[in-house]
């Protein structure tokens, strides 16, 4: 209770209980007043407060009064100036009797000799000192009752409830063609008796491209046989290099128009809307426990529940429709975060802070020196991609066992720009005891090493970040083509192994691919000093490269993304924000084998958040995506022609309501 007395009781007693008496109520030294309150009980304290009825006790003390001059001499002698915001007693303007009593109390613990003048001051302000003592006792009693009703004096429980209602609708190619080419990317072509032949479980007679070419030479788009130069069907390719590729046509599959598949080999927009186009009403519930043992450290535990299962807003149909707040826990409250954060001891003696973060279930984006975007600051987070500053390949929200450190310069005023550097290592499978499956610092940890260097504050900032991703880690968001096979960063690859080479027999076996990803991001933001017609601006650009071995032909090995977000603060009223974000989410820029992809896509998001009360925020939002399937969009056309007419886009709309308690 002693620490709480020093922090709360003295200023609260003067400002809360005595504020009507003085516009500049003074802080009080508890140790000095203790002599007056030691013999009081609660009932006596109440009686003391009731006795303060004399009008004289509310009068000011003027510089010409003997008591004022005695206090000035006391301050000069012992240097006691507690009670004033700037730490100085001005000594030439009137003060209230309670300010005088507070000043006297602050000097008592420094007085070395009880002079006649000090005795006169004690007698003069006896009522005021007793009044303050009684006020403190009452406040102590109230604080004690509050502490007794708490489940913990060191832990705070905070909650956040999010309601989301809305839907998505796809537009473009309704059903796709009647067929699609089911090529096997694992196929290996070798020379056998002078002819190219496939090995393994491939569904193609030769390379799928040649099989497709042969089929198109024989058939019209509707499947009927072509006629050319008096020849019909297979007669057209007889004796040409395409003849041998037409003999096994099993790679031509008829499309199930009712089934939606992420690689667009199922139905088109009709199938997507049938499976993911319903209007839904979902929730997320978070309960956060924050415990501090020293006042500077933090033990953080977060529990989450949500029902975004088999839902467009969970990114189940199209990756980019995933919302920032859309967990699927099947209505079960589970632990989502657990870590401990603490500063270097005695960091108040140096011009910088050094903070350490360690935990078995931490997140790399929560261990940064700064967040490099102002787009969602104070506003809502709608789409996952925009909520991660448009660079989720670096800030990928990896969660697992983590060690991190943050270095940051100290500033005179909160919000001033400062330099910071942060580093963290996180193993997504760090809790697994089998080194073949996981563990810390193993080849199978699914490890992420994230480092950020930034300089910024409230008004502007810039940050550069790099993330090394071990095999098995992802870039979080991108086109469906980029998302396939864990962003092409899997730990194992299929390699052809001969069993009977003379008979050309064999099979695929698994082999370590030694793949990893290198991800870079550059972000910056600027916020106007005053709210108005000029919005804040946030930008981001990122590049990624995947290295290793065993890449299948036409699989992505490099990607990039860019983002621009503008936000108007305090629109029409304080706390209301309007934001517009747009850019090109993570898309492939290079394919294995030196081929060029057609993975470009665009995204636009608009939201308007309304601060209904201090604890309730309601945000309507709409978004549009041009080609969220990316390179896979061509699969909706029968010949998988990247220059074909197949299209696929998505419109989405929702209302998000957030309740904080």
């Amino acid at each position: 209770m002693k620490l709480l007395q020093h922090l709360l009781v003295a200023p609260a007693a003067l400002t809360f209980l005595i504020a009507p008496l003085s516009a500049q109520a003074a802080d009080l030294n508890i140790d000095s007043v203790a002599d007056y309150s030691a013999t009081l009980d609660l009932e006596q304290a109440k009686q003391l407060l009731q006795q303060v009825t004399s009008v004289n006790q509310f009068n000011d003390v003027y510089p010409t009064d003997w008591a004022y001059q005695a206090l000035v001499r006391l301050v000069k002698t012992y240097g006691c100036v507690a009670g004033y915001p700037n730490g100085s007693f001005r000594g030439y303007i009137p003060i209230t009797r309670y300010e005088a009593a507070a000043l006297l109390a602050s000097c008592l613990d420094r007085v070395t000799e009880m002079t006649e003048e000090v005795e006169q001051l004690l007698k003069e302000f006896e009522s005021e000192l007793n009044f303050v003592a009684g006020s403190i006792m009452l406040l102590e009693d109230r604080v004690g009752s509050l502490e007794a009703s708490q489940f913990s004096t060191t832990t705070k429980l905070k909650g956040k409830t999010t309601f989301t209602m809305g839907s998505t609708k796809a537009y473009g190619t309704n059903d796709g063609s009647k067929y699609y080419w089911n090529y096997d990317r694992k196929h290996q072509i070798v020379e056998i008796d002078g002819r190219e032949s496939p090995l393994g479980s491939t569904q193609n007679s030769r390379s799928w491209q040649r099989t497709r070419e042969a089929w198109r030479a024989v058939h019209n788009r509707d499947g009927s046989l072509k006629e050319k130069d008096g020849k019909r069907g297979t007669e057209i390719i007889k004796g040409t290099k395409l003849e041998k590729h037409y003999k096994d046509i099993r790679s031509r599959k008829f499309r199930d128009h009712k089934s939606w598949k992420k690689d667009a080999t199922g139905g088109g927009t009709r199938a997507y809307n049938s499976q993911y186009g319903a209007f839904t009403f979902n929730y997320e519930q978070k309960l956060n426990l924050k415990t501090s043992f020293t006042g500077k450290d933090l033990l953080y535990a977060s529990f989450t529940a949500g029902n975004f299962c088999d839902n467009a807003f969970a990114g189940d149909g199209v990756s980019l429709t995933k919302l920032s707040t859309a967990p699927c826990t099947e209505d079960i409250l589970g632990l989502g975060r657990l870590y401990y954060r603490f500063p270097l001891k005695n960091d108040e003696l140096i011009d910088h802070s050094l903070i350490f973060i360690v935990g078995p279930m931490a997140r790399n984006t929560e261990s940064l020196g700064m967040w490099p975007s102002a787009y969602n600051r104070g506003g809502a987070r709608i789409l996952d991609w925009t909520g991660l500053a448009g660079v989720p390949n670096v800030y990928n929200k990896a969660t697992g066992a983590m060690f991190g450190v943050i270095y940051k310069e100290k500033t005179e005023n909160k919000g001033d720009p400062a330099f910071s550097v942060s580093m963290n290592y996180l193993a997504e499978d760090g809790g697994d005891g089998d080194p073949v499956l996981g563990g810390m610092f193993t080849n199978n940890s699914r490890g992420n090493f994230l480092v950020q260097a930034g300089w910024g504050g409230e008004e502007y900032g810039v940050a550069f970040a790099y993330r090394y991703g071990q095999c098995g880690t992802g870039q979080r968001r991108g086109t469906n083509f980029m998302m396939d096979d864990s962003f092409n960063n899997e730990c194992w690859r299929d390699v052809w192994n001969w069993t009977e080479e003379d008979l050309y027999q064999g099979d695929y076996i698994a082999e370590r691919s030694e793949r990893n990803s290198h991800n870079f991001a550059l972000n910056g933001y600027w916020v106007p000093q005053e709210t108005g017609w000029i919005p804040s601006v946030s930008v981001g650009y990122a590049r990624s490269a995947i290295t290793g071995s065993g890449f299948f032909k036409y699989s992505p090995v490099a990607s990039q993304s860019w983002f621009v977000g503008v936000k108007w603060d305090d629109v029409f009223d304080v706390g209301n924000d309007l934001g517009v974000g747009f850019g090109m989410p993570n898309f492939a820029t290079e394919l294995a084998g030196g081929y060029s992809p057609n993975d470009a896509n665009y995204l636009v998001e608009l939201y308007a958040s309304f601060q209904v009360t201090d604890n309730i925020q309601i945000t309507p939002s709409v978004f549009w995506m041009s080609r969220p399937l990316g390179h896979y969009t061509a699969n909706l056309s029968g010949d998988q022609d990247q220059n074909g007419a197949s299209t696929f886009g998505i419109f989405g709309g929702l209302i998000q309501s957030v309740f904080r308690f």
Side-chain angles (χ1 to χ4, degrees):
M1 186 63 196
K2 192 69 174 177
L3 177 61
L4 186 61
Q5 285 179 331
H6 281 81
L7 296 178
L8 297 176
V9 174
L14 292 175
T15 59
F16 177 70
L17 297 175
I18 314 176
L21 309 181
S22 171
Q24 296 180 342
D27 292 339
L28 194 61
N29 188 309
I30 286 292
D31 295 329
S32 301
V33 183
D35 293 337
Y36 293 91
S37 59
T39 59
L40 296 176
D41 59 26
L42 189 59
E43 291 302 321
Q44 290 175 325
K46 292 180 180 179
Q47 293 175 6
L48 278 175
L49 294 179
Q50 294 173 355
Q51 292 173 3
V52 184
T53 56
S54 173
V55 176
N56 292 334
Q57 292 169 310
F58 295 91
N59 292 337
D60 287 343
V61 181
Y62 292 92
T64 55
D65 295 340
W66 74 269
Y68 194 104
Q69 296 172 7
L71 283 172
V72 171
R73 287 191 290 271
L74 204 62
V75 168
K76 290 182 177 180
T77 302
Y78 296 104
C80 42
V81 292
Y84 288 86
N86 60 0
S88 63
F89 175 55
R90 284 159 287 188
Y92 57 85
I93 61 174
I95 59 176
T96 68
R97 293 184 62 83
Y98 287 96
E99 286 181 304
L103 189 59
L104 174 60
S106 70
C107 290
L108 289 180
D109 61 347
R110 302 190 182 191
V111 172
T112 58
E113 180 182 359
M114 184 60 67
T115 64
E116 181 180 351
E117 190 172 64
V118 172
E119 290 181 352
Q120 290 178 341
L121 286 172
L122 289 174
K123 185 176 181 179
E124 174 70 21
F125 296 104
E126 181 179 4
S127 297
E128 288 78 11
L129 291 172
N130 283 333
F131 178 85
V132 172
S135 301
I136 290 174
M137 284 205 67
L138 287 178
L139 190 57
E140 286 180 345
D141 181 67
R142 295 175 186 175
V143 172
S145 299
L146 180 61
E147 289 180 345
S149 64
Q150 293 184 104
F151 76 95
S152 172
T153 58
T154 60
T155 302
K156 293 182 179 180
L157 172 63
K158 292 190 175 183
K160 177 184 175 184
T161 302
T162 303
F163 293 164
T164 302
M165 60 178 71
S167 66
T168 63
K169 292 294 180 183
Y171 68 91
T173 303
N174 282 333
D175 295 318
S177 63
K178 293 182 180 180
Y179 61 90
Y180 68 96
W181 292 97
N182 187 26
Y183 62 94
D184 186 347
R185 286 179 299 173
K186 297 192 299 183
H187 73 271
Q188 179 177 350
I189 307 300
V190 298
E191 286 282 335
I192 300 178
D193 296 333
R195 297 179 60 183
E196 285 187 347
S197 298
L199 300 175
S201 59
T202 178
Q203 295 177 345
N204 300 302
S205 59
R206 301 294 184 269
S207 65
W208 73 272
Q209 300 96 330
R210 289 295 182 87
T211 305
R212 181 188 67 179
E213 184 181 353
W215 191 90
R216 287 192 297 175
V218 173
H219 297 270
N220 296 309
R221 282 184 174 272
D222 61 3
S224 61
L225 295 176
K226 281 186 176 180
E227 293 185 5
K228 183 179 180 181
D229 299 329
K231 297 179 181 180
R232 186 171 185 269
T234 55
E235 295 178 352
I236 300 174
I237 62 172
K238 189 174 181 179
T240 69
K241 63 181 181 180
L242 295 178
E243 182 179 10
K244 63 181 180 181
H245 294 290
Y246 187 81
K247 292 181 180 180
D248 186 352
I249 207 66
R250 288 177 297 168
S251 56
R252 179 178 177 271
K253 298 291 183 180
F254 285 95
R255 188 185 301 272
D256 180 3
H257 290 156
K258 295 182 179 180
S259 175
W260 169 255
K261 295 182 180 179
K262 290 186 176 182
D263 62 357
T265 58
T269 60
R270 198 189 308 271
Y272 176 89
N273 291 333
S274 176
Q275 188 167 343
Y276 296 106
F279 182 87
T280 60
F281 192 174
N282 302 93
Y283 79 93
E284 181 202 52
Q285 178 62 60
K286 293 183 73 71
L287 296 175
N288 304 320
L289 295 174
K290 298 182 177 182
T291 302
S292 180
F293 304 101
T294 66
K296 294 183 178 181
D297 62 342
L298 173 67
L299 176 63
Y300 183 75
S302 178
F303 298 84
T304 303
N307 67 342
F308 290 84
C309 303
D310 194 22
N311 189 291
F313 293 140
D316 290 334
V318 169
S319 166
L320 289 171
T321 60
K322 169 74 167 64
L323 301 184
S324 181
T325 302
C328 172
T329 68
E330 298 181 343
D331 301 318
I332 299 174
L333 187 67
L335 182 66
R337 212 90 76 253
L338 181 63
Y339 62 83
Y340 182 57
R341 180 185 180 114
F342 60 96
L344 180 69
K345 190 176 181 180
N346 295 328
D347 67 346
E348 67 273 5
L349 302 178
I350 52 182
D351 60 358
H352 62 269
S353 63
L354 203 60
I355 300 173
F356 300 92
I357 306 96
V358 58
M361 194 174 290
R363 177 166 286 179
N364 58 1
T365 52
E366 296 173 0
S367 180
L368 299 173
M370 61 177 288
W371 184 247
S373 175
Y375 177 65
N376 299 109
R377 184 190 298 172
R381 292 181 182 269
I382 305 300
L383 292 173
D384 195 35
W385 182 72
T386 57
L388 291 170
V391 290
N393 58 333
V394 173
Y395 303 117
N396 66 337
K397 282 189 175 181
T399 304
M402 189 186 79
F403 298 99
V405 60
I406 301 173
Y407 166 90
K408 192 168 186 176
E409 289 182 332
K410 292 183 178 180
T411 58
E412 293 186 5
N413 302 308
K414 185 178 180 180
D416 287 349
F419 175 72
S420 65
V421 176
S422 61
M423 294 181 290
N424 60 68
Y425 168 80
L426 185 145
E428 297 181 48
D429 289 331
D432 199 313
D434 187 344
V436 177
L437 301 176
M440 297 288 288
F441 310 108
T442 71
N443 291 334
N444 304 294
S445 298
R446 294 173 64 205
N448 297 262
F449 177 72
L450 174 59
V451 57
Q452 182 202 66
W455 185 81
E458 290 290 334
E459 295 182 12
Y460 46 83
V462 61
F464 172 79
Y466 165 77
R467 183 183 65 85
Y468 166 81
Q470 199 176 27
C471 68
T473 62
Q475 300 172 27
R476 191 167 180 88
R477 293 293 145 221
T479 65
N480 277 22
F481 178 71
M482 273 300 304
M483 290 278 293
D484 209 1
D485 295 327
S486 300
F487 291 92
N488 208 24
N489 195 29
E490 294 179 319
C491 294
W492 300 87
R493 62 169 178 153
D494 288 329
V495 178
W496 182 258
N497 179 57
W498 292 103
T499 56
E500 293 289 344
E501 187 170 356
D502 293 340
L503 300 176
Y504 309 113
Q505 294 179 358
D507 202 353
Y508 285 102
I509 60 173
E511 182 181 274
R512 290 285 299 187
S513 64
E514 303 300 334
R515 293 182 192 172
N516 50 67
S517 66
H518 300 273
N519 310 273
F520 305 86
L522 181 63
N523 291 81
Y525 63 89
W526 173 83
V527 181
Q529 292 183 349
E530 297 182 359
T531 59
W533 292 105
I534 302 177
S536 65
V537 180
S538 302
V539 296
Y541 176 76
R543 295 185 67 92
S544 294
I546 306 168
T547 60
S549 60
F551 294 110
F552 299 135
K553 203 178 280 189
Y554 308 106
S555 62
V557 293
S559 65
Q560 68 180 41
S561 64
W562 61 267
F563 165 77
V564 176
V566 295
K567 182 167 75 76
W568 290 263
D569 295 324
D570 300 334
V571 178
F572 302 121
D573 200 358
V574 176
N576 298 340
D577 297 325
L578 176 66
V580 179
F582 58 93
M584 296 181 69
N586 203 14
F587 63 97
T589 56
E590 182 182 347
L591 304 182
Y595 298 93
S596 298
N598 185 15
D599 204 40
N601 70 107
Y602 292 90
L603 182 151
V604 179
E605 172 192 271
L606 169 66
Y607 74 85
S609 62
F610 299 93
Q611 199 69 41
V612 181
T613 70
D614 290 341
N615 303 96
I616 301 176
Q617 182 185 66
I618 297 178
T619 305
S621 176
V622 294
F623 56 83
W624 168 74
M625 301 171 185
S626 66
R627 294 179 77 246
L629 305 182
H631 195 77
Y632 279 154
T633 306
N635 286 356
L636 292 172
S637 59
D639 57 4
Q640 293 176 311
D641 183 2
Q642 292 296 334
N643 297 317
S646 55
T647 59
F648 186 91
I650 286 182
F651 285 107
L654 59 92
I655 298 178
Q656 184 186 84
S657 303
V658 178
F659 308 85
R660 291 181 170 86
F661 56 91

